[in-house]
Amino acid sequence: VQLVESGGGLVQVGGSLRLSCAASGSTSSIDVMGWQRQAPGKQRELVAAIERGGSTNYADSVKGRFTISRDNAKNTVYLQMNSLKPEDTAAYYCRAGSIYSGTITWNYWGQGTQVTVFS
């Protein structure tokens, strides 16, 4: 499985960006897709995830501001980011994985896309 992200960039505080991640290859093995981010000096954080059936999860830090969605026909996941804050600045990585007995195993990474929020 290959994951290709797009949509990062520079945005002013309060602005919006939409990230996209297109999966190719053995996509039938993917049960869940999501976005992780990592800022310099900070721990990696799972921002949002969406299962094939549509169930979603969000980090508390982005609830109400970010929305994850998925187009199963296109094997693409989106992250709509609104009301962006400087602390959202990070490299954002698309992830894809499988679910077994309720446990997610993140098997695949994208190359990452930088999001920088400036005031």
Side-chain angles (χ1 to χ4, degrees):
V1 173
Q2 295 78 43
L3 303 175
V4 178
E5 301 114 328
S6 60
L10 291 169
V11 64
Q12 208 162 12
V13 169
S16 299
L17 280 176
R18 189 176 85 151
L19 306 182
S20 300
C21 173
S24 61
S26 300
T27 55
S28 60
S29 66
I30 298 174
D31 296 319
V32 56
M33 296 184 73
W35 293 90
Q36 286 187 339
R37 67 185 180 187
Q38 186 157 26
K42 294 187 178 180
Q43 283 195 329
R44 189 177 303 151
E45 176 184 32
L46 179 64
V47 174
I50 184 167
E51 296 180 15
R52 183 178 292 275
S55 297
T56 57
N57 280 296
Y58 295 92
D60 288 342
S61 57
V62 306
K63 280 181 182 176
R65 300 188 298 121
F66 290 12
T67 302
I68 190 169
S69 60
R70 180 171 179 170
D71 185 332
N72 288 332
K74 295 182 178 179
N75 294 311
T76 299
V77 65
Y78 305 96
L79 185 68
Q80 178 66 43
M81 305 185 293
N82 298 328
S83 302
L84 283 160
K85 304 175 181 180
E87 50 265 42
D88 294 318
T89 295
Y92 284 71
Y93 296 91
C94 181
R95 304 297 310 276
S98 55
I99 301 175
Y100 183 75
S101 295
T103 300
I104 295 174
T105 300
W106 295 105
N107 300 306
Y108 308 105
W109 286 89
Q111 81 283 0
T113 186
Q114 180 67 33
V115 172
T116 302
V117 184
F118 64 94
S119 55

